[in-house]
Amino acid sequence: MLRIEGLHASYGKVSALENVSLNVEAGQIVCLLGANGAGKTTTLNCVSGLVAAAGGRIVFEDEDISRLRVEDIVRRGIIQVPEGREIFTAMSVEDNLMLGAWQHKNNQRNREQLAQVYDLFPRLRERHAQFAGTLSGGEQQMLMIGRALMAKPRLLMLDEPSLGLSPILVQQVFDIIKTIHKSGIAILLVEQNARVALDVSSYGYILENGEINLHGPASALAENPQVHEAYLGGAAVRH
Amino acid sequence: MMSDLLLQAAASGVVTGCVYALVALSLVIVYKSTDVVNFAGGELLMLGGYIGLLALVYFELSYPLMFVVVIVAMYAVGALFERIPLTTVRGQRYSKNAEADLVPLVVATIGLGYLLKGAVRVVPYTEEVRRLPPLLEGAPIFIGDVILLKQDIAIIAVTVVVMIALTGFFGWTRTGKALRATSQNPRAAALIGIPVKSMRMIAWGLAAGLAGIAGILLSPKLLMTPDMGNVVMLAFAAAIIGGFSSLVGCVVGGIILGVLQNFVGILISPQAMAVTPFVVIMLILVLRPQGLFGELAFKKV
């Protein structure tokens, strides 16, 4: 579905990505793991068109999308949920969600979609009239995911959805990710929290200093001693 | 009677305050949607006034048609300025510091100001000082002891209509909401498919259109010269009083400033009027930098 082939990217003279290749098949959850500054977010931003690739190709359903504008990439159904709290703080929760459907003009269908998002996040329904800036961190994360769903994604790219959330909330968010996945949406998940990410994914890539250093089925990665050492707190080699 | 005098000063302060409010709103729309402080706001007002004059006197268009011509022409000027020079400057920048990237954009607006002034001076028509015919003519109207020109009533009416229209636009339309979203968080807006570049063009177009309307309203009251854009300082003061953030803030800021200026003229001295906006800007920035209506911005972590 999504194929990244030999992607290079740089900020000025500083190289951020070197020869990154990865695949997401339809219906898969794929995770991209790595430490801070490894280039995970840059990879997503290249796919979304926010950062121009310096080399390589990004192919979505047999179409090279690496030169498309951000809004045209969104139109093809690739929606990124960015890291942090990127919401419209001074607008209501409902306005935030409805803006997610900005490219879809059919108001009737957008309303139905909104009802589905509210079913998935009852908390957002309760707070629909509140300013988004008044939501808690976990609720803001849910709002961003809900807003992305309003855009009717075919591939959802989540950037560190667990960031800054309590363990219970992380579990909730990942349950929702599984539910979204079951509805047939492919997911590319960027995480520092390797344990939860590998748990829901079927395939994983590990990015180190801008290069893919390891990849394989998630279950194999979870048992790989190198991965354990670096990303899972070294539990396997501890005696 | 002193109280009559002050009442009259307040009334005419409200009228000029309306014009300041329109220009202030023009500055605020650009600032909020592109983070750029537009130093060409006054020159856009001046250009609007001259396009109106040309349409009315030279092409002999009717007043309503002239309004349409000015708004459309100014919208185009604003949108093109964003699309060509500003987009080019943005594309060339490279620094990690987003604030530093704004400096060339702000300088570009100063350049636009000089460009417009120069361009208008070249037109032979502007060598003489002229005056735009008022929207409404006729005997002044008495409200109690207060005298208002029909043009004053027209200014207030147009301002009210424009403000209602903009409130509806930003509050209820898809494009208006997308503009607000873009100004609050351009990155998030882009990622849900809102075309940020087009939004910036619309914002600049709207802002230039507003400045143009203010130009049409103000030109009958002032002598028209290519330097008339200096009134923009008053708009800056009005915007700062209101917190540089909201439509209501601009209106209230504009009216406070208009009235205050007239009171200073009567109670202190007419010479002091010119200094009023600067004193107000300084006082507000020192005592209440967020303005009367602004909130201290949500700081991004």
Side-chain angles (χ1 to χ4, degrees), chain B residues 19-260:
Chain B
V19 181
Y20 303 157
L22 287 173
V23 186
L25 195 56
S26 158
L27 300 174
V28 167
I29 287 176
V30 163
Y31 177 70
K32 289 203 65 169
S33 21
T34 63
D35 287 335
V36 172
V37 179
N38 173 19
F39 283 102
E43 280 67 38
L44 288 169
L45 173 148
M46 176 271 298
L47 184 67
Y50 274 110
I51 293 176
L53 183 69
L54 211 66
L56 216 53
V57 178
Y58 189 79
F59 291 105
E60 296 178 346
L61 299 183
S62 69
Y63 225 103
L65 201 56
M66 176 273 265
F67 252 94
V68 175
V69 168
V70 169
I71 292 171
V72 170
M74 292 306 293
Y75 186 96
V77 168
L80 284 177
F81 177 67
E82 161 58 36
R83 184 70 191 88
I84 301 168
L86 290 188
T87 303
T88 312
V89 172
R90 261 195 214 97
Q92 283 166 349
R93 88 217 148 113
Y94 205 81
S95 85
K96 284 260 170 187
N97 182 349
E99 311 250 307
D101 287 340
L102 289 174
V103 174
L105 298 175
V106 174
V107 173
T109 70
I110 298 175
L112 173 69
Y114 281 106
L115 178 81
L116 293 179
K117 242 191 267 189
V120 168
R121 278 210 187 90
V122 173
V123 181
Y125 201 66
T126 62
E127 273 164 15
E128 279 173 62
V129 171
R130 294 179 184 262
R131 197 187 284 267
L132 190 72
L135 172 52
L136 292 180
E137 279 175 294
I141 295 171
F142 288 83
I143 304 168
D145 291 327
V146 174
I147 309 169
L148 285 179
L149 296 176
K150 287 219 168 113
Q151 173 69 6
D152 294 342
I153 307 287
I155 288 176
I156 295 174
V158 170
T159 305
V160 169
V161 169
V162 168
M163 294 298 170
I164 290 173
L166 283 176
T167 307
F169 174 72
F170 283 113
W172 289 290
T173 67
R174 257 167 58 85
T175 310
K177 285 183 181 180
L179 273 168
R180 274 161 63 210
T182 309
S183 86
Q184 287 173 32
N185 193 330
R187 200 179 128 78
L191 286 174
I192 49 177
I194 295 173
V196 173
K197 276 188 187 171
S198 314
M199 289 299 138
R200 289 201 186 113
M201 281 173 70
I202 294 173
W204 264 95
L206 275 178
L210 273 173
I213 294 174
I216 302 173
L217 295 178
L218 196 60
S219 294
K221 292 180 76 81
L222 287 181
L223 296 175
M224 290 181 75
T225 72
D227 291 317
M228 68 188 281
N230 294 341
V231 296
V232 78
M233 278 322 297
L234 292 149
F236 271 115
I240 289 170
I241 295 174
F244 231 97
S245 67
S246 69
L247 195 142
V248 180
C250 288
V251 174
V252 176
I255 289 174
I256 289 179
L257 186 70
V259 173
L260 188 71

Side-chain angles (χ1 to χ4, degrees), chain A:
Chain A
M1 185 180 212
L2 176 76
R3 227 165 53 237
I4 301 179
E5 298 169 352
L7 181 65
H8 286 259
S10 57
Y11 295 105
K13 291 201 170 94
V14 185
S15 169
L17 294 178
E18 275 175 43
N19 198 24
V20 168
S21 298
L22 67 82
N23 279 317
V24 183
E25 300 302 333
Q28 245 187 344
I29 303 187
V30 171
C31 62
L32 179 61
L33 308 174
N36 240 337
K40 305 183 301 285
T41 299
T42 306
T43 308
L44 293 194
N45 283 346
C46 285
V47 176
S48 285
L50 287 175
V51 172
R57 296 205 319 152
I58 300 168
V59 180
F60 185 68
E61 315 212 294
D62 302 321
E63 180 193 12
D64 187 343
I65 58 164
S66 39
R67 297 272 169 273
L68 293 183
R69 293 179 301 176
V70 185
E71 57 263 33
D72 294 325
I73 291 169
V74 169
R75 189 161 293 123
R76 281 161 179 72
I78 303 179
I79 314 295
Q80 182 190 150
V81 178
E83 178 190 329
R85 307 284 172 253
E86 306 268 7
I87 55 167
F88 308 121
T89 48
M91 297 176 88
S92 72
V93 167
E94 187 148 322
D95 276 347
N96 268 265
L97 290 171
M98 287 306 280
L99 277 164
W102 204 78
Q103 287 195 346
H104 304 279
K105 311 254 146 80
N106 186 332
N107 212 28
Q108 178 63 32
R109 220 176 301 153
N110 289 342
R111 285 275 147 198
E112 290 164 19
Q113 183 80 11
L114 183 68
Q116 285 179 23
V117 168
Y118 279 153
D119 288 343
L120 198 56
F121 301 104
R123 200 52 183 235
L124 296 182
R125 177 178 278 136
E126 282 167 32
R127 316 216 147 178
H128 71 276
Q130 249 172 265
F131 275 140
T134 64
L135 297 181
S136 72
E139 289 163 350
Q140 294 190 4
Q141 184 64 50
M142 312 231 169
L143 178 60
M144 289 205 299
I145 297 176
R147 189 180 61 193
L149 291 176
M150 291 298 295
K152 303 184 183 67
R154 307 189 49 218
L155 170 66
L156 189 65
M157 303 194 297
L158 296 155
D159 194 354
E160 305 259 9
S162 76
L163 191 79
L165 299 185
S166 70
I168 297 171
L169 280 173
V170 170
Q171 202 46 58
Q172 273 185 28
V173 166
F174 275 80
D175 285 344
I176 282 161
I177 291 174
K178 282 188 226 164
T179 312
I180 294 170
H181 171 240
K182 281 200 197 100
S183 73
I185 297 169
I187 293 173
L188 175 57
L189 177 63
V190 156
E191 260 300 339
Q192 282 195 63
N193 188 338
R195 196 181 301 275
V196 280
L198 286 171
D199 196 42
V200 297
S201 305
S202 57
Y203 203 87
Y205 292 82
I206 294 184
L207 198 59
E208 228 168 74
N209 297 324
E211 291 176 71
I212 297 282
N213 130 334
L214 203 64
H215 62 96
S219 52
L221 285 181
E223 281 160 19
N224 183 314
Q226 236 182 305
V227 177
H228 260 281
E229 183 60 32
Y231 302 103
L232 297 174
V237 289
R238 221 179 270 153
H239 25 251

